[in-house]
Amino acid sequence: MLRGIFRLGGAGCIASCASVAAAAPAAGAVDKADTLLLIVGAALVLFMTLPGLALFYGGLVRAKNFLSVLMHCFGLAALASVLWFLFVYSLAFRGDNPFIGDLSAVGLNGLSAIRDGLTVPENVFALYQMTFAIITPALIVGAFPERVRFGWLMLFSGLWLVLVYAPAAHWLWDNGWLAQRGARDFAGGIVVHTTAGIAALVMAIMIGPRKGFPNSMIPPHSPAMTMIGAGMLWVGWFGFSGGSALVADGAAGSAIIATHLAASSAALTWAAAEHLKIGKPTSIGVVTGAVAGLATITPAAGYVSPTSAIIIGILGSLVCFAAVLGVKHRWKVDDSLDVFAVHGVGGMLGSILVAVFASETLGGTGLGTGLSVGSQSLVQAEAVLIVAIWSAVLTVAAARGAALLLPMRVNAEQEHDGLDLSLHGERAYEFD
């Protein structure tokens, strides 16, 4: 499905966005501006993973595990790219079956000169979507750094991409059954953040905590590096949300503005919440707040007004702040880098808030045809619940399946020595 404006394979526009669509180039011819938007967007979204997410996560772990986190992100970028080329793109974005795609584009063969319903070549569309498939499993690794084997992670992530990500993308972004029911996900609140967040929580429970958790603090080795990575994520998110308009016009601009304002308001809100709770705002808190705002606005970015984006950012920050405390202190789950509490909770919250803030009454682009705020809310909640359950069940299956061939967790000695040296034979830092 063309997120927010067209339905791929459909004959027309979503009624609530008719005015925007009317200004867009006619389908059937390649539009250079639209094509450039997706090419630049693909570069920005890849930049989010390499090096953005790698540095963001890497700064949060201990120095002896820094390289292992970078290896996770680099390895997953390569793995997801190859699998996308081989057959995952075809499963996600080809075919008329509402539940899963077909294999008509294996090896990216047989791609159309123009993606049906759009004004861009299909290979450019496939490139852009590939970068989403890269960052989604990479998000999950933040739940269990410092304690898993690299080989198991690669095998698990490959299975997860096929079993969880491809179906969810097809259901919501390729006119699948949830899209046909009216569910909306502009840039990945459900497809990316809900799937990854739920998987992260499940895996954190399955793998178990790091030694010392929750009785001793495990401080980040470089908050400065985390801030740099977070800045890269923030910039890259312009491609994440802006590119998801799939047309280079005011819709892309509106999505970027909403994204930026949500991140800004969320960062300030988190800093204020920290000041009230512990007496001072921290660098880790500010960047975590910004990411919470980015995750929360993602499903709504192309549908809401700037004012609504600020409100969504504030709400996302407050709810994710509470979720971080709840997961680690009440549930005592070592979701080490708060993937579920920030990405999962933020993505699910934003997906449901779409039904409120997309309404024309609040300056949004409008709800689905024939849907009220109440009925759209039910559709959104249903989509979130279904995808969350799907991700939880298939994550367990993928993890167990991978563990039949490769051990999941390192031994106590390897964990003590750090994964950089014990698994990769290198150190991130050498001191004379």
Side-chain angles (χ1 to χ4, degrees), residues 130-278:
M130 180 183 69
T131 59
F132 283 73
I134 289 171
I135 196 170
T136 306
L139 290 173
I140 302 171
V141 304
F144 45 74
E146 307 187 301
R147 56 198 190 274
V148 299
R149 295 179 181 272
F150 182 74
W152 172 86
L153 175 65
M154 293 296 106
L155 182 55
F156 160 75
S157 298
L159 292 172
W160 189 90
L161 196 66
V162 175
L163 297 175
V164 178
Y165 184 82
H170 188 73
W171 296 347
L172 284 150
W173 288 346
D174 197 39
N175 201 29
W177 71 286
L178 290 179
Q180 292 174 13
R181 293 176 67 85
R184 296 178 132 193
D185 183 8
F186 187 77
I190 301 175
V191 175
V192 175
H193 296 292
T194 298
T195 60
I198 292 295
L201 180 64
V202 169
M203 291 312 308
I205 294 170
M206 289 182 67
I207 293 171
R210 292 165 292 178
K211 185 178 180 180
F213 179 88
N215 299 319
S216 61
M217 293 292 294
I218 304 175
H221 91 278
S222 180
M225 192 173 296
T226 294
M227 289 200 79
I228 293 170
M232 293 174 175
L233 284 171
W234 192 330
V235 172
W237 227 289
F238 282 21
F240 204 80
S241 295
S244 291
L246 302 179
V247 287
D249 63 5
S254 295
I256 292 172
I257 290 171
T259 297
H260 186 67
L261 290 176
S264 300
S265 63
L268 295 174
T269 301
W270 198 289
E274 275 195 324
H275 182 74
L276 291 174
K277 184 168 180 61
I278 64 175

Side-chain angles (χ1 to χ4, degrees), residues 60 97 148 177 206 234 261 285 305 338 354 367 388 407:
L60 291 171
N97 188 299
V148 299
W177 71 286
M206 289 182 67
W234 192 330
L261 290 176
S305 69
D338 303 316
V354 165
L367 304 175

Side-chain angles (χ1 to χ4, degrees), residues 142-143 147 200-201 204 213 327-328 333-341:
R147 56 198 190 274
L201 180 64
F213 179 88
V327 170
K328 286 188 172 176
V333 174
D334 189 14
D335 176 4
S336 306
L337 310 184
D338 303 316
V339 182
F340 171 74

